[in-house]
Amino acid sequence: MRAMATAPPPAVPARPTLRRDPAQGRLGGVSAGLADRLGVDPRLVRGGFLFASVIGGLGAIAYAVLWATIPARSGSRATNRRATLLVAAGAGFLVLAVLLALRELELWFSDVVVWPVLLAAVGGSLLWGQAHPAEPAPALDPAPDRTAGLYRGGFGIALVLGAVLLFLQGSGSLGPLRDVVLAVVVIALGLALILAPFLWRLGRNLATERAERIRSQERAEVAAHLHDSVLQTLALVQKRADDPRAVATLARRQERELREWLFDPAPPAAASLAAELRRAAVEVEEAHGVPVEIVTVGDAPLDEPVRALVAAAREALTNAAKFAGLAGPVQLFAEVEHGTAQVFVRDRGAGFDLDAVPEDRRGVRDSVLARMERHGGRAAVHAAPGGGTEVELCLELA
Amino acid sequence: MKPTVVVVDDHAIFRRGVRAELEDRVEVVGEAESVEEAARIVLALKPDVVLLDVHLPGGGGVEVIRQVATSRPAQRFLALSVSDAADDVIAVIRAGARGYVTKTIGGEELADAIRRVHGGDAVFSPRLAGFVLDAFAGSMTPAEVDPELDQLTAREREVLRHLARGYLYKEIAHRLGISAKTVEAHVSAVLRKLQLSNRHELSRWAVERRLVD
């Protein structure tokens, strides 16, 4: 279809188009949408509507009109709520229809009942929509929709109460009501005194049950993790028991993985010098089967020179892993202090003489020394006392 | 005279492994697998060094140190753990352990560390050295600094850096042109600061382990 193929891409508006935002809103998302469009705090808009409603009712009417005319922004969370509101509106219209039908049939008391019954129907169905949510809230994440639910419930209650008051006023019994209210309040207080311990116990039981559920969920998660990692590794270790090197590598990989899981539940969000060095160490360890012990003090964000520093450190680690052989772990120490990053990579292997490295072996010369110099840093390779070699990298941070 | 050692760990396999590795090097006189048992056995046997697991049922290594210290304050502890978490390590050091090594340490190195602790020195793994450098790196306002406890000297930092780079004491001595005894003195001074300083990094780690009431 040509028309579709040549249609220009939709222009990107400087400001968001005016859309209701039920996902952010309290009722229909009108205020949230308006606030988003105008770039103000939604609470301000909400307050405005509320105020206008209280002083003359204009706010409520304006809200209803806007609700009906502004399309909703598409979003998944809104659908459930919209369904409830649609049901409420539907209930209202149904009741209205029934009332009209009754009136037509002359089964009628007075017109006074119309508004109260209508309001009660809408408010009641809103409340009933709250009473049976689709499924019990997941234990770990009950929060997101709760405030919206509270607002909707509160709105429903307000509607029903308004209906009752309207009816009472219409039938002229608002005056005697005051005495009744007093009696009801007293009775309610008495009931609360009687029921409080029971309710409190009920609440506590629910909390205990909830905690138990969370615990068992966590246990299941731990069991699943151990099964996928530790038990698998142990099985592999048994199979390869005749190859000590492979077993050591397996054990070490598992140890690192488990350690991360236990002690660093949240991996650092942004890439940084320390995180990248850690990753390089893991990769070298996996590739060469030589343990790399890494200690970092301080950290720095990743930019071009720091990336070069990491690359040089990785090359130094690879070299150390090759030369270190079985003479114990390769040690990496990185420190960022006073705007300078320093990285030391040392092994306890046989060591090598940089001058004796042939010209064509570009590894150390290019990847470490030249790379550091290109990025304004410096590098040095020297024999470490006690045997082995130490590569020292130094970089002034911007 | 080989130093006498009690091994405290809740895993029998690990105790057996340590015993086998330390054979001929030190004298393992007893084992314990819980806080309460450890306190009882250590007080009964009075070993030169207690090899102490950080994680134990019933309060952890910190609790063992606390219970023993009331009647035997001079008891020397070397903490041994698989944990690399700063709060675990710092907590047990601040409770009174004279050193910290990871469980992957080799037999010869472990025996060496035990002898060192027995001789009154401090034993720092590279990682512990890193933690200490980190903890003392944060700046404090001059008013609240106790220079005796809250700051490391340039030489102490230098020694710690070399420890973090994986150097042994005698290698550090060689590099810095000082005697091994001086290196040990620096590390012991750092240990003292680590145990007594009120730097908030250290207190925070300790609080997280409920070391401070």
Side-chain angles (χ1 to χ4, degrees), chain A residues 47-116:
Chain A
F49 273 121
L50 212 59
F51 183 68
S53 306
V54 170
I55 59 166
L58 196 64
I61 295 169
Y63 192 97
V65 170
L66 288 174
W67 192 348
T69 50
I70 301 175
R73 179 165 294 151
S74 54
S76 58
R77 204 150 73 85
T79 50
N80 181 26
R81 179 187 314 190
R82 188 163 42 199
T84 319
L85 293 172
L86 273 179
V87 167
F93 282 121
L94 269 179
V95 168
L96 190 61
V98 169
L99 286 180
L100 286 176
L102 286 176
R103 196 174 184 209
E104 210 54 29
L105 292 171
E106 311 229 319
L107 290 169
W108 197 241
F109 325 97
S110 88
D111 285 353
V112 170
V113 297
V114 174
W115 278 111

Side-chain angles (χ1 to χ4, degrees), chain A residues 199-326:
Chain A
L199 289 176
W200 183 70
R201 202 163 49 231
L202 190 73
R204 211 178 42 172
N205 283 348
L206 280 177
T208 322
E209 193 232 355
R210 200 173 119 89
E212 189 54 48
R213 195 161 43 139
I214 292 173
R215 239 192 317 271
S216 73
Q217 261 177 14
E218 269 170 9
R219 202 158 33 223
E221 204 174 299
V222 170
H225 180 87
L226 290 184
H227 180 265
D228 288 348
S229 56
V230 179
L231 290 182
Q232 301 279 15
T233 302
L234 286 177
L236 272 176
V237 163
Q238 287 173 44
K239 260 190 228 163
R240 308 191 59 174
D242 52 337
D243 183 353
R245 214 182 150 102
V247 168
T249 309
L250 279 171
R252 200 163 163 87
R253 183 186 305 165
Q254 183 57 62
E255 180 196 340
R256 187 177 50 237
E257 198 259 351
L258 196 58
R259 211 180 266 292
E260 263 165 30
W261 193 67
L262 286 173
F263 303 121
D264 299 322
S272 69
L273 174 62
E276 287 298 303
L277 284 176
R278 226 167 277 279
R279 192 155 60 168
V282 166
E283 282 169 18
V284 169
E285 193 172 299
E286 303 254 298
H288 297 273
V290 174
V292 177
E293 275 178 17
I294 170 163
V295 176
T296 59
V297 172
D299 206 348
L302 215 55
D303 57 14
E304 204 44 49
V306 171
R307 249 180 250 279
L309 177 65
V310 172
R314 181 193 300 265
E315 191 59 35
L317 280 173
T318 309
N319 241 301
K322 274 187 209 154
F323 285 95
L326 295 171

Side-chain angles (χ1 to χ4, degrees), chain A residues 255 259 263 294-298 331 333 335 337 344 346 348 382 384-386 390, chain B residues 82-85 104 126-127 130 133-134 157 161 164-168 171 174-175:
Chain A
E255 180 196 340
R259 211 180 266 292
F263 303 121
I294 170 163
V295 176
T296 59
V297 172
Q331 205 88 35
F333 172 61
E335 185 179 35
E337 199 190 35
F344 300 88
R346 94 156 276 183
R348 293 186 172 276
H382 43 79
E390 189 170 52
Chain B
V82 292
S83 169
D84 277 341
T104 46
R127 193 166 294 261
L133 281 171
D134 241 346
R157 300 186 66 84
R161 272 197 200 103
R165 281 155 69 179
Y167 285 86
L168 305 175
E171 295 166 0
H174 179 82
R175 258 194 85 100

Side-chain angles (χ1 to χ4, degrees), chain B residues 172-200:
Chain B
I172 298 173
H174 179 82
R175 258 194 85 100
L176 299 182
I178 53 182
S179 74
K181 268 273 156 259
T182 312
V183 174
E184 278 166 7
H186 283 310
V187 179
S188 290
V190 172
L191 181 80
R192 191 170 151 284
K193 292 180 181 180
L194 192 53
Q195 288 174 338
L196 299 177
S197 166
N198 284 321
R199 286 196 75 100
H200 83 272

